[in-house]
Amino acid sequence: MSSASAPPGGLGGIAHSAALAGGAGDGPLHTPSGRSIFPRAPSFSLENFSSKDFIVKDFVESLSDSAVPVNRRSGPSTQAFDPKPFIRTFEHALSRLSTLSEDLESHETELLTGVRRAELQHSQTLDSLGKKLDHTIDSFQSLDTSLNGADRGADGYGEFETGGNAAVRIGERLEELDKQRRRAQDARFLIQCWMEVSERGELTSLEDVRRRDSGEGKVRCAVIARQLTRISQRLDPDSWAQANGGRKSASDVDGSRGRARAFNTRELIEKFSETLEKDLLKQFDHFYRRQNFGGMQECANVLHDFNGGASVVALFVNQHQFFIDRSQLITDEVDGDGETWERLADPDAEPPGVEPSLQSLVDEVKVVVQEESAIIKRAFPYHELVLGKFLQRVFQQSIQQRLEMVLNKADTISSLAFLRSLQAARSYINSLVDDMKAHGLTEHPETTSSQTTLILDQQMDDLFVPYLLGGSYIEREKKSLEELYSSLLFKFTIYHSRRKKLPTTFMATLAKSGSELLASTKNAYLDRLDSSDLSVAQKAMLLRVAGLKDADSAKNNNDIEVTEQDGVLSTANAKRMLKWLAEGVGRGLELSGGSETPKDVSALLNLLLSNMGEIYVETALDAANDSAASQESAKSEPDLSYLPNLRSAISIMQLMITCIHTVLIPLAASNLTVRRDMEKITNQAIGRMEDKTNGIMQRTVDVVLGWLAKLLAGQGKNDFRPKDGALEGAGGLLEMLQTPTCLAAVTFLKKAYTLATMALTGQNLTAFTTELARGILSQLLEHFKRFPVNATGGLMVTKDLAQYTATLRAFDLASPVATSLEVLPEIGTLFVVGPEALRERLRSAEAAELKPYVMRRDDLGSIDRTPKPNETTESPKTPPTVQVHDSGGLASKRGQPLDTLSQSRARKRPSRLRIPLSQDDAAMTTDKNGDESPPSPSPARATRVLVPSTPPLHPLALFPPTPHSKRDLTILPPTYLPVLESLPPHVHFRPLLLQRPLAPLERGHWRLPTRDFPPALLTRFWTFLGHWIVGGRGGWGVWAVVETCHSALSAIARVEMRREVEYVKLYTFGGTVPQTWSLLVLATERWCKKAEAGAEWVDGEGRVVVKMS
């Protein structure tokens, strides 16, 4: 291949490149200094092209770089290109590539020749193997045919069967023959052994088998030993009948056969069996110490076949290092820290937990059992049986013995210490059992099997059955609580046993049982302190809870110092008692539980009601009742200091009720009978305590009212008829806020209320103060009927009644009674208003009730100049009437003349609530210009109350005076000017709805729902309207009514009842709607502008014309 004909790419291109890079051309010329003038020709071989990093481009570039001399590479860039070096370099490279190509072709030819030769040889080998395989298949088919050729069909001449049935039957036959051979060998060996033991008295053959190291030989020895034992029992019964072993006597010959004497086969076989068992046990122990689990399993298998494995299990369990070490520690005494035992016996301290030595044992048991369970599983094929024996030994020997020692030690401390130790031990051991179940032991990492779980539960129950069997546990719990309760209430019972008793009365007889219970409780506590089975630590703890220094002081009641604080109920002590009870209930649920829980909590409930209910709360209530009874006949101011104790009694009762209904009764839900009994005795006990509390409060009401009656009885006869001299000076009556009697009564009532608030709260306080206020109001109403009152005394009456009212309003009263207090200021106005206004007042239906107060006025003569029956103030013949059109367009005939008070009451005319006015307000009139003029002496100018002849639709009404001149007939009097200036209608009258323009003289009314009206604001609103309308300021065409269901009651009776008020209606003209709206805004203190007020103006046809919200 020439360089001119070589292609640019392909193998020729590569050869061409290789020749350029590695061709061995003529060597370059060298200068004298050793450096070549021309570049050296590239040199390369086949290894350069076999590299994975070979790149043709890089190869060509390297040839180009080698073609340029070094001394020309750094020359100027303007030098002309010289192709000669490149030509020479590429020619050398092509020459070298040609040589390499020829070498490759020759080598390839040799390889192709070798391949053809190997393929020919491979074909010959395959032919030879194929022939051999065919020959093998033919041979197999011939063998199969020969094996199944004798099997024909059921009829004897069927076709030959195919398959391996004959081979199977041959195999089964061979196995059967092998078994027969083995049985024959075993029988021969058994007979040989029996002949040896019976004739020669030795077991040489069996001993040879035993000495073999294999486990199979030992198993065979064990089987043969058992068989020899059965043969001996049948063939040599005399050896089994002998009491002692040894050789038989010479005379002991079998007569039937005349045989010579023989050896005692039983003794020989048993000795061999013992030797075999000892040997196996020794070997098992050796394997155990070397942790050879395979050998251990062989020995265990042999011994299990030999005697059920009882001996090897006993060896494994009894010689375990855990039991050896712990057997020395079991005898150690339970010591522990003294402070820990004190905390365990202290009912107010948190239990310290499980005893340290028991805790250490349980922790070690957990580790040991988990470790040994893995060994048991690998060493014993029957591992569950071995594990069960091991667990029984652990619980029954180690844990049980230590548990008994700990509980015996705790029992010497106190009953509470025993119960707490029992609870802590059970909880900790139960956690041990749960951990074992979760670990799985021999089934790890799975949970334990059902058999192991049953064993663990059984061992757990067996540990604590002696302490929980029957009623032993609940009796210990009751004993502990009784000791603690008796200690806590010891000083309380001592204080109340010394309390001075009232003379024997019926109530004292009823309280006798409580006194006897106190005495029995105190004596039981003292007997318990003297008991010999009470340890020193427990006695010290009981004395500490009781607050005593030593037991000697408790034996003598007179030496015990008690204070009043010891006889007072303490909520903290009650909480301590409930905390102790709750601890006992929780402990009972954890320890006993099950079907006995309802009976246990029932016993604890009886204990709680007996101690906290009867001994503690009821004793304090009896003491408070005695104190209240002693104040009924007191000559000085009653001492109500017993009242604050009721707060603690009520709080304790609430705590007790909450505890019973939240904790105890729900636990008895599984037993309906016990639950009903618990609810019954609880209701009886609580009802008894509530009755005593109510009796105390009722007696307190009687005491307060009785002393108030004494104070009111001390009111001077002329206290409300002061002389002129008494009005002067700095200490004059006008300078006093109230009379001395009023001051003393108010001071006493405030003190009583303060003490009541310290005793009662919520509805209890409201009920008590309401009952008390009713009695006080009744006494005050009767009190002011007894004293004459002059003009100055009327001011004093008003001040006294205002003080009484303010005092009673400070009470927490129910709404009806709080409303009824308004009658007191109303009575006060009877003594300060002028005669003319009072005469108008006496024209109402409640005149009969007001008459006793009016009769005490000194100016009664001027008031009695009232019109007689069938007379009027304007005409002796015809009474004046006024036609008033209501909202429906109907007219009611008003202006009916008044009858006498008795006739008015007999007819049951409907009453109206009147807002009392002063004499000046009742007589003052206003002219057109707004100037006030003195009242006219004519009775016709006085304010008149119009009484309809029939019961009106709205019994509570406010009517204006009768107009007497043309200037009084204006629909908008000048009295509205101040209101309109402060509340301009164009600012405040902005209706939400206006159906049509209003006619100036059309009639209608403003309607305000009062269901959402604040009670205090409603009272002020109605009072304002009363002054405005009845005083004549609103004009002759404006009046107000209130819808209510009580239509025929007097004013005093009405305010004592809860009114179902629906609407307040203010009747007006259509032309005064904006002005009367400003009046309503002022009267309601802007409340009517709220959305919830729902104010509307309704026309005469009942249609809503104006809607404000």
Side-chain angles (χ1 to χ4, degrees), residues 301-322:
N301 283 329
V302 172
L303 290 171
H304 182 265
D305 294 337
F306 184 67
N307 58 4
S311 59
V312 69
V313 174
L315 174 67
F316 177 79
V317 173
N318 295 335
Q319 294 187 3
H320 197 280
Q321 192 64 31
F322 171 77

Side-chain angles (χ1 to χ4, degrees), residues 351 416 419-420 422-423 473 477 480-481 580 582-593:
L416 180 61
L419 293 172
R420 285 181 168 180
L422 183 65
Q423 179 188 10
Y473 165 73
E477 197 70 61
S480 174
L481 289 175
W580 299 341
E583 180 183 345
V585 172
R587 185 164 46 242
L589 291 177
E590 183 176 349
L591 292 179
S592 59

Side-chain angles (χ1 to χ4, degrees), residues 610-833:
S610 176
N611 287 272
M612 182 179 289
E614 296 183 24
I615 298 177
Y616 200 42
V617 177
E618 292 191 28
T619 300
L621 293 177
D622 292 338
N625 186 67
D626 293 343
S627 299
S630 65
Q631 301 302 319
E632 290 181 342
S633 58
K635 296 181 180 180
S636 58
E637 181 179 325
D639 182 12
L640 305 180
S641 59
Y642 60 86
L643 282 179
N645 293 334
L646 293 181
R647 171 71 68 89
S648 299
I650 295 174
S651 300
I652 292 173
M653 282 192 287
Q654 291 176 347
L655 289 174
M656 185 167 57
I657 293 173
T658 303
C659 177
I660 292 173
H661 288 283
T662 306
V663 178
L664 298 181
I665 291 182
L667 295 177
S670 60
N671 193 323
L672 187 58
T673 303
V674 175
R675 180 187 176 92
R676 288 178 178 174
D677 292 341
M678 292 174 65
E679 292 176 346
K680 180 179 179 182
I681 62 176
T682 300
N683 294 334
Q684 291 176 351
I686 299 301
R688 188 168 58 250
M689 287 183 279
E690 289 179 348
D691 292 342
K692 290 185 177 183
T693 305
N694 293 334
I696 294 171
M697 300 313 299
Q698 186 61 49
R699 181 159 287 178
T700 302
V701 171
D702 297 340
V703 170
V704 173
L705 295 179
W707 184 251
L708 179 62
K710 290 182 181 181
L711 293 177
L712 295 178
Q715 186 88 52
K717 184 177 182 180
N718 296 321
D719 283 354
F720 302 115
R721 297 178 66 186
K723 298 180 181 180
D724 295 340
L727 303 177
E728 300 177 356
L733 294 177
L734 293 179
E735 298 294 331
M736 298 176 61
L737 296 177
Q738 62 273 335
T739 61
T741 302
C742 176
L743 179 61
V746 167
T747 303
F748 173 69
L749 291 177
K750 289 181 178 179
K751 181 179 179 181
Y753 178 71
T754 302
L755 293 173
T757 55
M758 297 172 63
L760 305 172
T761 57
Q763 296 181 355
N764 293 331
L765 179 61
T766 302
F768 171 74
T769 53
T770 300
E771 182 68 20
L772 183 61
R774 285 197 181 100
I776 295 173
L777 184 61
S778 177
Q779 289 190 9
L780 292 176
L781 292 176
E782 293 297 326
H783 175 68
F784 287 98
K785 294 179 181 179
R786 302 190 184 101
F787 301 96
V789 183
N790 59 14
T792 305
L795 297 176
M796 300 177 64
V797 171
T798 303
K799 290 182 179 181
D800 281 5
L801 287 173
Q803 190 67 21
Y804 287 129
T805 304
T807 302
L808 293 178
R809 282 176 177 172
F811 289 6
D812 187 4
L813 301 176
S815 297
V817 178
T819 308
S820 66
L821 297 180
E822 302 299 331
V823 74
L824 294 179
E826 184 178 353
I827 292 174
T829 59
L830 297 177
F831 297 101
V832 295
V833 298

Side-chain angles (χ1 to χ4, degrees), residues 175-226:
E175 290 180 358
E176 182 179 356
L177 292 175
D178 183 67
K179 291 180 181 179
Q180 292 178 358
R181 182 182 67 82
R182 290 183 179 181
R183 284 197 298 270
Q185 291 178 350
D186 292 341
R188 176 179 174 281
F189 185 75
L190 179 62
I191 294 172
Q192 179 182 354
C193 292
W194 171 250
M195 295 298 294
E196 290 179 354
V197 71
S198 62
E199 294 181 357
R200 297 198 301 268
E202 58 184 15
L203 287 170
T204 306
S205 301
L206 202 57
E207 285 288 346
D208 294 339
V209 176
R210 182 181 66 82
R211 292 189 183 96
R212 297 175 185 174
D213 296 333
S214 62
E216 183 179 355
K218 293 181 174 61
V219 172
R220 187 181 181 189
C221 286
V223 172
I224 292 176
R226 287 200 305 272

Side-chain angles (χ1 to χ4, degrees), residues 1021-1037:
F1021 169 55
W1022 190 250
T1023 303
F1024 181 90
L1025 288 182
H1027 284 283
W1028 187 267
I1029 296 175
V1030 178
R1033 295 183 177 90
W1036 67 275

Side-chain angles (χ1 to χ4, degrees), residues 436-495:
M436 289 182 179
K437 292 179 181 178
H439 180 269
L441 300 181
T442 55
E443 305 298 327
H444 182 75
E446 302 294 332
T447 57
T448 55
S449 62
S450 58
Q451 181 179 353
T452 305
T453 302
L454 182 62
I455 292 174
L456 288 172
D457 293 338
Q458 184 64 38
Q459 295 302 316
M460 180 70 184
D461 294 338
D462 293 343
L463 282 177
F464 296 96
V465 162
Y467 310 104
L468 306 176
L469 185 63
S472 58
Y473 165 73
I474 194 62
E475 291 300 326
R476 280 184 177 270
E477 197 70 61
K478 289 173 58 179
K479 176 183 176 183
S480 174
L481 289 175
E482 286 176 354
E483 291 174 353
L484 295 175
Y485 288 168
S486 301
S487 300
L488 184 63
L489 303 179
F490 181 67
K491 282 192 174 182
F492 179 83
T493 56
I494 291 296
Y495 176 85

Side-chain angles (χ1 to χ4, degrees), residues 45-325:
S45 63
L46 291 177
E47 284 76 6
N48 296 99
F49 301 98
S50 62
S51 175
K52 295 181 180 179
D53 298 331
F54 175 76
I55 299 175
V56 176
K57 181 180 179 181
D58 295 342
F59 177 73
V60 174
E61 288 180 354
S62 63
L63 292 178
S64 301
D65 293 339
S66 63
V68 180
V70 178
N71 55 357
R72 294 184 181 181
R73 293 178 186 176
S74 59
S77 59
T78 59
Q79 184 179 0
F81 175 74
D82 185 9
K84 294 180 180 180
F86 293 99
I87 294 174
R88 287 194 295 269
T89 301
F90 287 127
E91 287 178 351
H92 285 291
L94 287 175
S95 176
R96 178 61 180 165
L97 288 175
S98 298
T99 304
L100 291 176
S101 178
E102 293 175 358
D103 294 340
L104 285 174
E105 288 178 357
S106 61
H107 183 63
E108 182 181 1
T109 302
E110 293 177 359
L111 291 176
L112 289 174
T113 303
V115 168
R116 286 194 295 270
R117 194 181 298 110
E119 288 178 352
L120 179 61
Q121 185 178 0
H122 177 67
S123 299
Q124 295 175 355
T125 304
L126 288 177
D127 293 339
S128 175
L129 293 175
K131 293 179 181 179
K132 291 182 179 178
L133 179 61
D134 293 339
H135 179 72
T136 302
I137 293 173
D138 294 340
S139 301
F140 176 78
Q141 289 178 351
S142 301
L143 178 62
D144 183 66
T145 302
S146 63
L147 290 175
N148 298 325
D151 294 337
R152 297 179 177 273
D155 53 359
Y157 50 86
E159 297 180 357
F160 290 102
E161 295 182 0
T162 60
N165 295 332
V168 172
R169 284 196 297 272
I170 292 173
E172 293 176 352
R173 182 61 178 168
L174 290 175
E175 290 180 358
E176 182 179 356
L177 292 175
D178 183 67
K179 291 180 181 179
Q180 292 178 358
R181 182 182 67 82
R182 290 183 179 181
R183 284 197 298 270
Q185 291 178 350
D186 292 341
R188 176 179 174 281
F189 185 75
L190 179 62
I191 294 172
Q192 179 182 354
C193 292
W194 171 250
M195 295 298 294
E196 290 179 354
V197 71
S198 62
E199 294 181 357
R200 297 198 301 268
E202 58 184 15
L203 287 170
T204 306
S205 301
L206 202 57
E207 285 288 346
D208 294 339
V209 176
R210 182 181 66 82
R211 292 189 183 96
R212 297 175 185 174
D213 296 333
S214 62
E216 183 179 355
K218 293 181 174 61
V219 172
R220 187 181 181 189
C221 286
V223 172
I224 292 176
R226 287 200 305 272
Q227 293 175 348
L228 288 175
T229 301
R230 289 195 293 269
I231 293 174
S232 174
Q233 290 176 351
R234 297 185 61 183
L235 300 182
D236 191 10
D238 294 337
S239 63
W240 292 87
Q242 291 180 359
N244 299 319
R247 297 174 60 89
K248 298 180 182 180
S249 61
S251 60
D252 188 10
V253 179
D254 190 351
S256 61
R257 298 183 182 181
R259 250 184 351 178
R261 58 186 181 181
F263 294 92
N264 191 330
T265 57
R266 173 189 176 185
E267 181 180 356
L268 295 174
I269 296 174
E270 287 180 350
K271 287 182 179 181
F272 176 80
S273 299
E274 292 176 1
T275 304
L276 178 61
E277 183 177 5
K278 291 179 181 179
D279 188 16
L280 291 173
L281 292 176
K282 183 178 180 181
Q283 190 174 7
F284 179 86
D285 185 66
H286 176 73
F287 290 149
Y288 175 70
R289 298 183 185 279
R290 293 178 174 272
Q291 296 294 301
N292 186 351
F293 299 110
M296 292 172 64
Q297 192 168 16
E298 289 184 2
C299 295
N301 283 329
V302 172
L303 290 171
H304 182 265
D305 294 337
F306 184 67
N307 58 4
S311 59
V312 69
V313 174
L315 174 67
F316 177 79
V317 173
N318 295 335
Q319 294 187 3
H320 197 280
Q321 192 64 31
F322 171 77
F323 300 107
I324 297 175
D325 297 339

